[in-house]
């Protein structure tokens, strides 16, 4: 499990003073990128780019897209806006041939406010077909055990 502290923005808050449900999915994306790295072919990486905790995208070429096939989100309680980061635990629940299921737990104090998953799929850009995880990717996921 990777534990992250994700800053909240004032604009993440809705009229009730808690984090808007749509913004939770954006925070999931931010947590996923911080945990596992920036997908290849999506921008220039330099010395200021944060290093991933587990480089799940190591060795994935520019011709392979990292796509999200599905999100599930369970709102267990309101997540109030505050000026301090929210604690998010990120892990990998399932590893399949060409996909991984990423899990998230957003905390309000000691309580889980939101639990969620994303199915991340690797797809050949030209073929549109799934690309199997490499041994290097599987080794990186094993670090989470």
């Amino acid at each position: 499990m990777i534990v992250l502290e994700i800053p909240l923005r004032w604009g993440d808050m809705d009229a009730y003073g808690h984090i808007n449900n749509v913004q939770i999915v954006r925070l999931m994306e931010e947590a996923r990128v911080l945990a596992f790295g920036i997908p290849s072919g999506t921008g220039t990486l330099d010395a200021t780019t944060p290093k991933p905790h587990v480089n799940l995208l190591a060795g994935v070429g520019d011709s392979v897209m990292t796509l999200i096939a599905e999100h599930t989100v369970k709102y267990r309680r309101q997540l109030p806006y505050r000026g301090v980061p929210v604690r998010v635990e990120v892990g990998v629940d399932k590893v399949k041939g060409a996909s991984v299921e990423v899990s998230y737990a957003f905390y309000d104090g000691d309580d889980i406010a939101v639990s969620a998953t994303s199915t991340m799929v690797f797809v050949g850009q030209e073929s549109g077909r799934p690309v199997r995880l490499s041994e290097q990717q599987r080794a990186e996921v094993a670090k989470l055990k």
Side-chain angles (χ1 to χ4, degrees):
M1 193 66 58
I2 299 166
V3 179
L4 303 167
E5 298 286 328
I6 307 285
L8 299 173
R9 301 175 311 171
W10 186 85
D12 294 337
M13 178 177 46
D14 66 12
Y16 299 111
H18 64 265
I19 303 305
N20 183 282
N21 64 312
V22 172
Q23 296 305 322
I24 292 295
V25 176
R26 184 194 61 79
L27 292 166
M28 289 164 56
E29 176 184 55
E30 187 152 342
R32 190 172 56 253
V33 168
L34 285 171
F36 303 126
I38 297 172
S40 62
T42 61
T44 305
L45 308 180
D46 60 22
T48 64
T49 303
K51 299 285 186 230
H53 293 263
V54 172
N55 196 351
L56 183 56
L57 305 176
V60 175
D62 288 344
S63 65
V64 177
M65 298 182 294
T66 304
L67 305 177
I68 298 299
E70 179 179 8
H71 289 302
T72 61
V73 183
K74 185 171 185 176
Y75 302 98
R76 299 173 175 273
R77 60 186 296 155
Q78 294 180 16
L79 180 59
Y81 172 78
R82 62 209 156 209
V84 297
V86 62
R87 186 177 100 222
V88 183
E89 293 181 356
V90 181
V92 173
D93 284 351
K94 296 178 188 170
V95 179
K96 295 186 178 177
S99 68
V100 295
E101 184 179 277
V102 179
S103 63
Y104 315 81
F106 290 79
Y107 283 84
D108 179 23
D110 292 331
D111 299 317
I112 296 177
V114 177
S115 57
T117 62
S118 297
T119 301
M120 189 164 59
V121 181
F122 302 96
V123 177
Q125 193 165 8
E126 293 201 17
S127 70
R129 297 181 156 260
V131 174
R132 296 186 70 75
L133 272 74
S134 68
E135 288 304 316
Q136 187 176 7
Q137 286 176 291
R138 290 180 182 280
E140 288 292 321
V141 169
K143 293 178 182 178
L144 291 170
K145 305 288 181 203

